Amino acid sequence: MVRRNLELLARGVQQRTLYQHAVWNHPPTAEYIRTVAEAGGSVRTVDEMFDRVIIVDRTVAFIPTSSDYPDEALEVRDPSIVWYLANVFEYAWARGTPVDPAVHRRPEIVVSEIEQSIIRFLVAGHTEEKIARGLGISRRTVAEYISRISRRLGSVSRAQLGYLIATKGLLSEAEGERSPASDPPRP
């Protein structure tokens, strides 16, 4: 896949790719991202991500058929659906953190965004397992983030953590534009 994408970029094809912030914890994917970015591809990462979509010239889109068939894709040519998918992508792209190929570590803002997402999910009452699935990271990583947030706030229990999140104003910052209660993590 790397070779194919590098050939396309060399021919002048513009490529914009979104990944979840969690890819910074996966060295092969992080290296792929750096390679594509160095070759002229644009890459951003976001805290939460929808499933894979490939849009070509805003005329055709490819979407997964189901999780049971990871190598299959549905070709979509309906202009209204392609337009909608492109708008969803543009919205996520605008929220994304640009990848600088010269930087070989995760940007600090990414940590902050992951913590914000975890706080939103915690406040909505989601378990560590559901949070992990929604953010594309391991349950253990979610637990580590929750532990760090708890230590930073001086919390010794989940109930106290919720109270401290609310009283320190983290709840309103983390809620942002939506609440995960209306947008549960993917199964």
Side-chain angles (χ1 to χ4, degrees):
M1 179 161 66
V2 175
R3 191 181 72 201
R4 181 192 61 196
N5 286 342
L6 294 176
E7 289 170 1
L8 290 170
L9 289 165
R11 288 191 347 224
V13 171
Q14 291 184 352
Q15 176 183 336
R16 292 189 302 159
T17 307
L18 281 170
Y19 287 98
Q20 281 184 288
H21 292 321
V23 299
W24 288 105
N25 297 322
H26 188 253
T29 305
E31 185 56 36
Y32 166 80
I33 289 170
R34 280 189 212 84
T35 301
V36 167
E38 287 170 352
S42 297
V43 182
R44 293 185 181 190
T45 62
V46 292
D47 54 347
E48 299 173 60
M49 188 67 186
F50 45 85
D51 212 336
R52 182 178 221 179
V53 60
I54 298 171
I55 303 169
V56 181
D57 295 334
R58 292 184 176 260
T59 59
V60 63
F62 298 93
I63 59 173
T65 57
S66 78
S67 60
D68 295 334
Y69 303 100
D71 295 331
E72 280 188 4
L74 176 67
E75 181 179 321
V76 179
R77 290 191 175 269
D78 181 282
S80 297
I81 296 173
V82 173
W83 172 84
Y84 175 79
L85 292 169
N87 282 342
V88 169
F89 177 86
E90 292 298 339
Y91 173 77
W93 182 261
R95 291 180 47 239
T97 302
V99 171
D100 180 351
V103 176
H104 291 278
R105 61 182 171 73
R106 176 174 48 192
E108 288 301 317
I109 191 170
V110 169
V111 175
S112 175
E113 288 176 6
I114 290 173
E115 288 176 344
Q116 293 281 321
S117 294
I118 289 171
I119 288 170
R120 279 196 310 268
F121 285 123
L122 279 173
V123 169
H126 293 293
T127 64
E128 289 177 3
E129 185 65 34
K130 285 186 179 182
I131 295 169
R133 281 187 303 217
L135 296 177
I137 57 180
S138 73
R139 192 205 57 74
R140 183 175 167 195
T141 301
V142 170
E144 288 173 18
Y145 273 110
I146 292 171
S147 178
R148 262 187 253 148
I149 294 166
S150 293
R151 279 194 308 274
R152 207 174 319 140
L153 296 177
S155 169
V156 293
S157 71
R158 278 287 171 93
Q160 186 182 23
L161 178 59
Y163 172 78
L164 292 170
I165 287 170
T167 59
K168 297 206 181 270
L170 297 177
L171 179 61
S172 58
E173 291 174 22
E175 281 184 328
E177 300 162 6
R178 63 178 167 68
S179 168
S182 63
D183 183 23
R186 292 174 297 193

